[in-house]
Amino acid sequence: MFYWMFIVEKTQESSESAKQLALCWYKEYLFGFLLNLTLVQFIKFLVGSPRPHFFDTCRPVEAETCTESQYIYSYQCTNPAWINQSDTSFPSGHSSLAFHSGLFIAYYLYQRKSSCTKTLVTQSLCVLLSVYCAVSRMTDHRHHWWDVLAGFIIAIIILIYTIFHLCGNFKCVMSNKKQILEQNEHSNGTIEGAT
C-alpha cells in the first residue's frame, strides 16, 4: 500500500516530498489499523459472544439433554479443538479491518487523485471488496449480522479519527510549508533589495 500511495503522491509532488507524504500517511494508516485491531480484540475478550456455528463446533454435552425453554449457564464442550474461536463472534474483526482498509483507500484517492475512470473503478472496487468480506462472514456462518454491523461502526469511528485527526484530511501540509518558505525567501529578497 505504501508503494501505491507513493505513486499517487509522485503525480502530485516532487519525488522526495512524495515519499515523505506517502510514508507519513502510511504510518498513520497503520496506527489506525492497529488501533482498530486492538479495540476489536479487546471487545471480543470482554463480550465473548458465541458464533453462529457454536453448537456444531462445541457440541456441548448439555445440548443433548436440554429442553426447548431451558437456559444453560455453564457447559462442557465435547469438541475442544475450536473452543477458543467459537465464542469470539462480537464484533467482526475481518469486517472491521476490511472496511477500515477499503474506505481509507477510497477516501485517500478521493482527496489526492483526480477523478478519472481508473480512480472511480479503484474506489468502487475497494468498497465492494469490503462489503464482500462482510457478507462472506455472515454467509460462512462465522458472524451474526450484528457482529458485522458493530465491526463496521468501529471501523468508521477509528477511520474518522485516522483520516481527520492523524492524516489531516490528506491536506498537503508539506506543500503549504514549502510555499510559505518560498514566500518568506521572496519577501526577504525584496526587503534586502529595497535597503
Side-chain angles (χ1 to χ4, degrees):
M1 186 150 110
F2 167 72
Y3 180 73
W4 192 29
M5 292 174 88
F6 176 68
I7 297 298
V8 170
E9 291 306 318
K10 199 169 181 180
T11 63
Q12 308 286 329
E13 303 286 331
S14 68
S15 183
E16 188 57 35
S17 63
K19 184 178 177 182
Q20 290 174 349
L21 277 173
L23 184 60
C24 177
W25 288 332
Y26 182 69
K27 287 192 297 187
E28 303 302 353
Y29 161 77
L30 282 180
F31 179 77
F33 189 87
L34 292 174
L35 183 64
N36 189 333
L37 180 63
T38 303
L39 183 61
V40 165
Q41 292 303 320
F42 180 72
I43 294 172
K44 280 180 182 276
F45 176 75
L46 283 179
V47 175
S49 174
R51 294 184 183 269
H53 62 79
F54 174 76
F55 283 109
D56 294 332
T57 304
C58 176
R59 293 186 215 126
V61 174
E62 292 79 10
E64 296 172 6
T65 59
C66 181
T67 60
E68 57 187 68
S69 64
Q70 187 179 11
Y71 184 79
I72 306 294
Y73 291 97
S74 64
Y75 55 87
Q76 181 181 358
C77 291
T78 59
N79 184 14
W82 284 90
I83 189 61
N84 291 339
Q85 291 296 319
S86 65
D87 62 349
T88 56
S89 183
F90 183 84
S92 172
H94 285 85
S95 299
S96 186
L97 296 175
F99 279 117
H100 182 87
S101 298
L103 295 177
F104 182 91
I105 293 168
Y107 190 76
Y108 169 78
L109 290 174
Y110 171 76
Q111 286 295 97
R112 298 297 297 162
K113 190 83 173 131
S114 61
S115 290
C116 65
T117 306
K118 282 175 139 179
T119 304
L120 293 174
V121 167
T122 305
Q123 289 172 314
S124 300
L125 189 61
C126 288
V127 173
L128 286 174
L129 286 174
S130 301
V131 171
Y132 175 76
C133 177
V135 170
S136 73
R137 300 307 290 170
M138 291 183 292
T139 58
D140 290 346
H141 301 292
R142 293 290 182 192
H143 291 286
H144 303 281
W145 66 267
W146 55 85
D147 303 331
V148 171
L149 179 64
F152 173 73
I153 291 169
I154 290 169
I156 292 298
I157 292 169
I158 293 178
L159 201 55
I160 288 170
Y161 172 74
T162 303
I163 289 173
F164 294 105
H165 181 70
L166 299 178
C167 295
N169 200 19
F170 301 113
K171 299 296 182 213
C172 193
V173 176
M174 290 182 188
S175 290
N176 292 341
K177 286 181 182 177
K178 186 177 172 183
Q179 289 172 355
I180 291 169
L181 287 174
E182 288 174 0
Q183 287 175 354
N184 286 342
E185 288 174 7
H186 178 68
S187 62
N188 286 343
T190 307
I191 293 171
E192 288 173 7
T195 54

